[in-house]
């Protein structure tokens, strides 16, 4: 602890290394500052753009993955401020230069039990540059996503598990 220095007071869920000195941080409870970036190895962070969250949605859990082609995917579980159990999720993909963000369609919300306590995870495939793995909650268990084609394939039951069992 003595060697650590706090450089930002924004609540942070994930730190994702983009390259040797660049780190992306994802934040919750702020529509205006959901992501920030450090270009000096974590010595300081600055806002990294505005994610187009749905109107009234507040992200309560955020995460990110860097794809093999350099694009960044950021996702978040959300809730409507006036209805805490009205949860959803949203995905955003950066352009190749990481200058703008686009919403990325999903087949279902990743928080299926409407409990604003859950988590999700994103993992970029280490070999296939546009393949993303998503871990959701309840009936949104696990997915393989091609971010180029937009095709989501569930990783339980058929077609991935031929006998229809859960992995």
């Amino acid at each position: 602890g003595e060697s650590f220095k706090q450089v930002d007071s924004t609540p942070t869920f994930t730190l994702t290394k983009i390259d040797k000195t660049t780190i992306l941080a994802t934040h919750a409870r702020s529509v205006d500052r959901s992501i920030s970036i450090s270009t000096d190895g974590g010595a300081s962070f600055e806002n990294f753009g505005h994610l187009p969250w749905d109107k009234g949605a507040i992200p309560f859990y955020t995460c990110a993955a860097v794809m093999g082609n350099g694009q960044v995917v950021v996702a978040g579980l959300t809730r409507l401020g006036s209805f805490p159990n009205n949860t959803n999720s949203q995905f955003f993909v950066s352009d190749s230069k990481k200058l703008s963000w686009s919403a990325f369609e999903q087949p279902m919300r990743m928080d299926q039990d409407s409990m604003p306590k859950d988590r999700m995870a994103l993992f970029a495939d280490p070999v296939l540059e546009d393949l993303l793995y998503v871990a959701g909650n309840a009936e949104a268990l696990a997915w393989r996503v091609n971010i180029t084609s937009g095709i989501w394939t569930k990783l339980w039951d058929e077609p991935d598990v031929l006998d229809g069992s859960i992995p």
Side-chain angles (χ1 to χ4, degrees):
E2 288 182 29
S3 64
F4 293 104
K5 176 184 170 193
Q6 182 176 355
V7 297
D8 196 305
S9 62
T10 309
T12 301
F13 274 112
T14 61
L15 296 172
T16 304
K17 183 178 178 181
I18 294 178
D19 60 36
K20 281 186 171 187
T21 60
T22 309
I23 301 168
L24 179 79
T26 66
H27 312 292
R29 300 187 297 276
S30 174
V31 173
D32 296 323
R33 188 169 183 207
S34 303
I35 49 175
S36 59
I37 195 159
S38 171
T39 56
D40 56 14
S44 64
F45 284 84
E46 62 185 53
N47 197 4
F48 191 49
H50 182 78
L51 297 177
W53 298 103
D54 288 341
K55 185 177 181 178
I58 300 167
F60 66 85
Y61 186 83
T62 54
C63 52
V66 179
M67 305 303 293
N69 63 6
Q71 288 181 285
V72 177
V73 178
V74 174
L77 297 177
T78 63
R79 69 174 181 85
L80 290 177
S82 56
F83 303 102
N85 288 342
N86 186 352
T87 61
N88 202 345
S89 56
Q90 287 184 262
F91 288 77
F92 307 98
V93 180
S94 72
D95 65 3
S96 60
K97 295 181 177 154
K98 299 173 204 62
L99 299 175
S100 65
W101 297 92
S102 301
F104 189 78
E105 294 299 317
Q106 57 189 339
M108 64 171 45
R109 61 178 208 219
M110 295 296 117
D111 184 30
Q112 285 290 304
D113 67 359
S114 300
M115 297 295 290
K117 56 147 182 65
D118 294 313
R119 307 291 181 257
M120 64 187 301
L122 304 179
F123 303 98
D125 190 288
V127 176
L128 302 173
E129 68 179 25
D130 58 355
L131 202 59
L132 176 73
Y133 298 96
V134 176
N137 172 42
E139 291 88 30
L141 185 63
W143 301 86
R144 181 176 50 241
V145 184
N146 184 307
I147 67 165
T148 301
S149 68
I151 295 174
W152 290 65
T153 305
K154 63 181 187 173
L155 295 176
W156 72 99
D157 297 332
E158 292 182 27
D160 231 46
V161 183
L162 296 180
D163 68 357
S165 66
I166 294 177

